[in-house]
């Protein structure tokens, strides 16, 4: 299918953290941290194949499932695109007491609504968290939710991007310093996987095989871990305890369904 329009909804993963923009200079001060990300990369590729292609990205970092369903899903439905990507739930699963079964019921209802517009819908599992210090204790909760996602994709005829099976994403070289968001390499792999799932040829591959890493000095590793705790983990815990979000006060980077050469604002 030649897609003519695409709307992305979700959180920081879909917003594109931490994949830097192509042009870091001359950026609007209000968009100083306007990251690129896998969704932008997919849109750029689809746009090269279809003249007049339009794209909106409604994703905002820190948003939880309820917020995405309430704030972004209705806008995506109003835009009536050919393709909608919907990835949500990761921020919920990081919170104590999250219920993957209840989350799945909400997700299923939103997916049903999105599919009722006639759009193709992309759903995502997350990456296996067994190598991530914050998340590996909740691995069973993550796995339960992502099994629900697979079932919902099958039930409603959605495309499924299975990141759990992407072994290249289990290497830290695909991630930024905060260990929660992918870097350019990770986003490029996800974009390649999305295009593969959509049946669209791409020059990139998601089957990345990393070269062996040199042995790391245990003392250097401890210093890296301590730095990560100070710079990333403690601020993250602080936001959770005070009810704040990294996305507070931020707007979507491409709020309107507009041609790719437009900012969409």
């Amino acid at each position: 299918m030649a897609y003519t329009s695409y709307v992305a909804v979700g959180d920081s993963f879909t917003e594109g953290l931490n994949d830097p923009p192509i042009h870091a200079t001359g950026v609007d001060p209000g968009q100083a941290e306007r990251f690129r990300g896998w969704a932008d990369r997919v849109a750029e590729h689809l746009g090269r194949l279809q003249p007049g292609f339009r794209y909106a990205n409604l994703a905002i970092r820190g948003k939880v499932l309820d917020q995405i369903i309430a704030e972004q899903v209705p806008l995506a439905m109003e835009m009536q695109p050919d393709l909608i990507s919907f990835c949500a739930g990761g921020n919920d699963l990081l919170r104590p007491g999250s219920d993957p079964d209840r989350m799945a019921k909400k997700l299923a209802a939103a997916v049903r609504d999105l599919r009722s517009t006639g759009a193709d819908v992309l759903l995502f599992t997350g990456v296996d968290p067994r190598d991530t210090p914050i998340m590996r204790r909740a691995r069973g909760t993550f796995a339960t939710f992502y099994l629900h996602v697979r079932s919902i994709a099958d039930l409603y005829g959605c495309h499924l991007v299975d990141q759990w099976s992407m072994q290249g994403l289990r290497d830290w070289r695909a991630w930024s310093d905060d260990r929660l968001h992918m870097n350019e390499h990770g986003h490029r792999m996800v974009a390649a996987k999305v295009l593969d799932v959509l049946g669209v040829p791409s020059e990139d591959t998601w089957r990345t095989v990393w070269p062996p890493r040199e042995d790391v000095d245990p003392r250097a590793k401890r210093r890296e871990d301590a730095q990560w705790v100070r710079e990333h983990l403690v601020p993250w815990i602080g936001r959770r305890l005070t009810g704040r979000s990294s996305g507070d006060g931020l707007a979507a980077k491409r709020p309107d369904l507009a041609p790719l050469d437009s900012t969409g604002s």
Side-chain angles (χ1 to χ4, degrees):
M1 177 176 177
Y3 293 106
T4 63
S5 54
Y6 165 40
V7 176
V9 301
D11 51 29
S12 58
F13 169 64
T14 302
E15 183 187 344
L17 274 70
N18 284 318
D19 182 5
I22 303 174
H23 304 294
T25 59
V27 177
D28 184 322
Q31 297 284 354
E33 288 189 319
R34 180 170 171 170
F35 296 97
R36 190 181 182 192
W38 66 265
D40 284 14
R41 292 176 180 276
V42 168
E44 291 159 9
H45 189 86
L46 295 176
R48 287 192 290 270
L49 302 176
Q50 184 66 33
F53 181 82
R54 296 176 300 149
Y55 169 52
N57 190 318
L58 308 179
I60 298 176
R61 68 196 73 171
K63 295 296 184 181
V64 295
L65 180 62
D66 284 347
Q67 292 174 316
I68 294 168
I69 291 174
E71 299 166 9
Q72 298 178 31
V73 168
L75 293 176
M77 293 176 65
E78 290 175 9
M79 293 177 182
Q80 294 284 309
D82 298 331
L83 176 67
I84 300 171
S85 65
F86 182 20
C87 185
N91 289 317
D92 301 76
L93 293 169
L94 286 170
R95 286 164 166 75
S98 61
D99 185 336
D101 298 323
R102 292 182 60 188
M103 289 170 57
K105 290 181 180 179
K106 296 176 181 180
L107 179 72
V111 170
R112 182 187 62 227
D113 291 342
L114 291 172
R115 286 289 285 148
S116 72
T117 67
D120 280 2
V121 173
L122 272 165
L123 297 180
F124 296 75
T125 74
V127 179
D128 186 346
R130 66 180 176 180
D131 303 313
T132 307
I134 291 179
M135 296 184 282
R136 62 185 169 209
R137 292 184 179 180
R139 190 184 184 205
T141 302
F142 279 84
T144 299
F145 180 65
Y146 295 139
L147 281 172
H148 280 306
V149 172
R150 296 183 69 91
S151 297
I152 293 167
D154 186 48
L155 178 63
Y156 292 106
C158 303
H159 298 286
L160 180 69
V161 179
D162 185 6
Q163 296 182 91
W164 196 282
S165 67
M166 295 175 65
Q167 294 300 303
L169 292 180
R170 291 188 54 209
D171 192 292
W172 285 116
R173 284 170 285 188
W175 297 81
S176 59
D177 291 341
D178 68 7
R179 305 183 184 182
L180 288 173
H181 300 100
M182 297 174 190
N183 58 24
E184 175 184 351
H185 304 294
H187 280 285
R188 188 182 293 276
M189 277 190 278
V190 173
K193 177 70 169 180
V194 169
L195 292 170
D196 187 29
V197 168
L198 294 177
V200 178
S202 169
E203 300 81 11
D204 289 330
T205 179
W206 58 269
R207 294 182 175 87
T208 299
V209 178
W210 296 93
R213 300 191 67 167
E214 297 180 2
D215 292 337
V216 179
D217 183 345
R219 291 173 297 181
K221 181 65 168 60
R222 286 194 293 270
R223 287 194 297 269
E224 288 181 5
D225 290 343
Q227 182 179 1
W228 172 75
V229 168
R230 290 193 307 271
E231 296 181 0
H232 300 289
L233 180 59
V234 171
W236 181 83
I237 292 175
R239 290 195 298 272
R240 299 287 81 75
L241 293 176
T242 57
R244 292 179 292 120
S245 167
S246 57
D248 288 345
L250 295 181
K253 64 180 181 180
R254 290 188 63 93
D256 302 316
L257 190 58
L260 278 172
D261 57 359
S262 167
T263 61
S265 59

